[in-house]
Amino acid sequence: MTKLYFFLPIFSASLLFAQQRDSAELISEVRIDAYKKPTAFISSTKSVSVVSQNLLIQNPPERMLESINQIAGARMEERSPGSYRISLRGSTLRSPFGVRNVKVYLDDFILSDASGNTYFNVLSPELIDRIEIYKGPEGGDYGAATGGTVLLKTKSADQISASLSAGSYGTFNQSFDLSRQIGKHFVEVFQNYYQTDSYREQAKVQRKQVFLKDHFKYSEKGLLKAMLMYSDLDYQTPGGLTLEQMNADRRQARPATKTLPGAKEQDAGIRNKMILAGLSHEFSFSPEFSHFILIQGSYVDFENPFITNFENRFEKNFSLRTHFNYEKNWNAVSLAYRLGFEGGINDILVKNYDNNRGMEGNPQNFDQLKNISGFYFLSQKLNVGEKLFTDISISLNSNVYEWERMYPRSENGKVRFGNQWLPNFGLTYMLGKGFSLRGKIGKGNSAPTNEEIRSSTQQFNQDLRPEFGWNKEAGIRKQFGNSIFVEGSYFDFRMKDAIVRRQNEAGQEYFVNSGETVQKGVEVLLESKNFDLKNNFLSRFKFRFSGSFYDFKFKNYRQNETDFSGNELTGVPKTTINSLLNFTFFRKLSIDYSHFYTSKIPLNDANSVWSDAYLIGNIRFGFPVDLDKTRLNLFFQIQNVYNEDYVLGFDINAFGNRYYNPAAKRNFVFGVKIDF
């Protein structure tokens, strides 16, 4: 912990000498969007965290891990560069890769497909201007997901910028962004190219992305939005290692065995081309009554040469969201209603072949899989005297799978999960200015995704059931003067039929329902304003500390004759503590010093194998250079500054004890962002 508190004497001194009010808005006055249900952060009934620009700039060019992991209760994992998972309060229990059980929106549009799977890794971090993370079930607003919801926001102000950076392991990144108000149109054009050879063998990444949007305010009452995104992601997958293999050579890809070839020999990897397009429309019939509708579609060309097979997947997706809104304000009371529907269709053709050293071989299985899901929702917000804030919502969720095997034999089936009512009730009471107490209770439900119904074993699991549970939580938020903000939350989530990942001897994953889980936890945040120290040497200072302290256990969980009841929940650390110290020297030179502590993690349901705890430190230096109307923002990042041996993403319940995906040792990125 000496590393973590190296700068605490400076921190103490900066508080003593900070004498002037910061001109930035109070932390308690930050407003959240909550998908068109805006409210002040301090009075929100939800367990929400905001990832601001101060956190987003801590990311290296390829990922959002560093900014998301500063949020208590949120954890982004990297199995290998390009392969990411997002865990909200332990939701990665069922994710071998990708994002499941977490609903993701990009501006108005839905990034998650109808089955609940999200290709989060197709996005460049530089596209995102702000993130809102909602922890725990929010079924009344966002439908079925027990983990939570992530709202990604792109640019909303004029900007013309270009970025260029290079770093360790052949890393290169280039991007361009133009955001501009042109008459009644606000347009954004974003382009990104990224590549790296990466730390390990068989781990190269190449990503190309183009994003276009147009917000057309055609009248005082109407707003039409259009969006088009294309992403081409190609990344190799080195595979998991045993502890002995990792200690012998951390950089090696998964080696061959007597019965199976290795990752390098099979050219294991993922090639994902995705196009997403959509239109949304808002219209206000009167100051009280309005309507919103969203229509979108996407196409995914997904190719995955794996150890045991070569998979081609072609996905067609369609989504719709619409709701009517009514708002009425009186002198001391405001009331708002929302009634609507969100639904989607996910239609997939999957073709599996033998993998002949990275080339398609003989056919194995051809399958068609369609998922149709949706939910009707009704919500009410009632605010009384700027003291009492309530948010009550309920949704009715449905989910149906249809599947057909076309080769080598013909068969079909249909699975209809029972409709689920998901109520949520939240209340916040303001005890004073910048001081609130909140309570919340809600039910969550999450059906299996298409990749769990038909996993890499290529078999249809018709016995898999949705997981569901009730979440209860309470929290406190307190602003001390204009300097310090403190937040604390306690939650108790009881989930039944939890979906858990398994892996067979070939490395193929499959999924089972595991009985019950009891998930209790405390999440805390301590954050300061950006203090002006009235000093030309150490000019400004800001700090941020967050932590999660969990007691997650299995309950009534047996596997064959083995009883795992009372064991720690697989893949979830009991403790994470994160910090970020922002220093500004000489009014220009910024130094951001961050830390991430993660306690040991159980790697299998039996709790017989645990990871080591680790503490990772990063440093970012920034220096602006002004040239007429152009600013060059130079930056230099050191990742893993203490050169630790650690793993950022484990393969839980891995067959043959191949749990370990080693992360990079100390590495560097140098670049410039040009603001025109």
Side-chain angles (χ1 to χ4, degrees), residues 465-479:
R465 303 179 302 277
E467 57 186 18
F468 66 96
W470 284 89
N471 181 57
K472 296 171 284 187
E473 60 183 276
I476 183 171
R477 297 177 176 129
K478 173 63 176 172
Q479 180 87 29

Side-chain angles (χ1 to χ4, degrees), residues 37 140-141 336-338 377-381 391-394:
K37 290 175 67 175
D141 288 311
Y337 284 98
R338 175 185 286 184
F377 56 94
L378 172 66
S379 67
Q380 178 202 64
K381 289 178 62 177
D391 191 342
I392 304 171
S393 61
I394 190 169

Side-chain angles (χ1 to χ4, degrees), residues 117-132:
N117 187 58
T118 306
Y119 294 119
F120 197 84
N121 52 1
V122 302
L123 297 176
S124 164
E126 294 168 295
L127 174 66
I128 306 305
D129 192 56
R130 171 186 164 109
I131 305 175
E132 295 177 9

Side-chain angles (χ1 to χ4, degrees), residues 236-307:
Q236 298 175 323
T237 53
L241 303 176
T242 66
L243 182 61
E244 294 76 15
Q245 290 167 345
M246 183 177 69
N247 290 337
D249 181 4
R250 295 177 54 81
R251 303 187 68 167
Q252 68 174 313
R254 173 180 163 176
T257 67
K258 293 179 180 180
T259 57
L260 291 171
K264 191 173 182 180
E265 182 181 353
Q266 292 291 77
D267 193 24
I270 288 178
R271 295 181 277 276
N272 186 356
K273 296 179 181 179
M274 177 179 180
I275 185 167
L276 171 66
L279 293 170
S280 72
H281 181 253
E282 299 175 58
F283 190 82
S284 298
F285 299 99
S286 69
E288 294 85 18
F289 188 57
S290 64
H291 175 253
F292 170 82
I293 187 169
L294 154 74
I295 299 174
Q296 68 175 60
S298 68
Y299 179 77
V300 176
D301 185 339
F302 188 94
E303 194 174 87
N304 178 203
F306 182 59
I307 302 292

Side-chain angles (χ1 to χ4, degrees), residues 325-328 334-338 379-383:
N325 311 291
Y326 177 79
E327 298 182 29
K328 185 70 175 179
S334 64
L335 178 67
Y337 284 98
R338 175 185 286 184
S379 67
Q380 178 202 64
K381 289 178 62 177
L382 176 64
N383 304 335

Side-chain angles (χ1 to χ4, degrees), residues 98-170:
V99 176
R100 301 177 188 174
N101 202 20
V102 174
K103 193 76 172 285
V104 182
Y105 293 84
L106 178 63
D107 292 331
D108 287 355
F109 303 95
I110 307 166
L111 200 58
S112 302
D113 65 31
S115 78
N117 187 58
T118 306
Y119 294 119
F120 197 84
N121 52 1
V122 302
L123 297 176
S124 164
E126 294 168 295
L127 174 66
I128 306 305
D129 192 56
R130 171 186 164 109
I131 305 175
E132 295 177 9
I133 298 177
Y134 296 82
K135 294 165 285 187
E138 292 287 349
D141 288 311
Y142 308 116
T146 56
T149 307
V150 175
L151 306 185
L152 305 171
K153 298 292 183 180
T154 58
K155 306 293 187 297
S156 59
D158 284 5
Q159 173 183 304
I160 303 177
S161 64
S163 297
L164 197 66
S165 61
S168 304
Y169 314 120

Side-chain angles (χ1 to χ4, degrees), residues 4-21:
L4 185 60
Y5 297 109
F6 179 77
F7 282 110
L8 280 184
I10 299 177
F11 157 65
S12 302
S14 57
L15 286 181
L16 292 173
F17 291 105
Q19 298 176 359
Q20 183 180 1
R21 283 177 60 94

